[in-house]
Amino acid sequence: MLEGRRWTVRTGSEPVTARSALRMRLWLSLWGTLWALFGLVAFALSGRPGWAVACGVVLVVAVLDLGVIAHRMRQGPHHQPGRDVPPYEPDHGNGGPRRTGPPSERRSGDTP
């Protein structure tokens, strides 16, 4: 079924060119926090405790997410390698680490 399909091999340059969605996640979390707070107050004042509790749970999750986002934004791009770091060696499909070194040290079945 997938025999004729061509798969691309990762080059290892993805972390250099990737962009984080933290700012979008921040704005969506702020939007959710505002709506959950509004819903909590509105349902509490209208005498709907079940819906108020549901909005309170969403509010807690949104505030925790804001904390995680703020923490990760303060960390900065430390987890992404710079331009001077070469890409990693791609997986060659043998299931194990690639052996380097003289052929005398390699086991049979290792990728050269």
Side-chain angles (χ1 to χ4, degrees), residues 17-37:
T17 58
R19 296 292 176 246
S20 174
L22 282 177
R23 281 194 189 102
M24 180 182 68
R25 191 170 148 198
L26 174 74
W27 287 109
L28 288 173
S29 188
L30 283 171
W31 183 252
T33 300
L34 292 175
W35 275 105
L37 184 61

Side-chain angles (χ1 to χ4, degrees), residues 98-106 111-112:
R98 183 172 179 190
R99 301 272 182 194
T100 57
S104 62
E105 293 178 6
R106 291 188 204 141
T111 307

Side-chain angles (χ1 to χ4, degrees), residues 5-84:
R5 206 162 198 187
R6 185 174 178 190
W7 298 95
T8 58
V9 178
R10 287 182 47 133
T11 62
S13 64
E14 289 86 354
V16 176
T17 58
R19 296 292 176 246
S20 174
L22 282 177
R23 281 194 189 102
M24 180 182 68
R25 191 170 148 198
L26 174 74
W27 287 109
L28 288 173
S29 188
L30 283 171
W31 183 252
T33 300
L34 292 175
W35 275 105
L37 184 61
F38 172 75
L40 175 67
V41 171
F43 285 124
L45 292 176
S46 68
R48 302 274 186 136
W51 285 103
V53 168
C55 287
V57 169
V58 171
L59 179 65
V60 168
V61 169
V63 168
L64 288 173
D65 192 35
L66 280 173
V68 169
I69 293 166
H71 173 71
R72 290 187 179 166
M73 287 178 94
R74 270 187 260 126
Q75 283 181 333
H78 74 282
H79 61 280
Q80 296 184 4
R83 294 192 184 277
D84 57 336

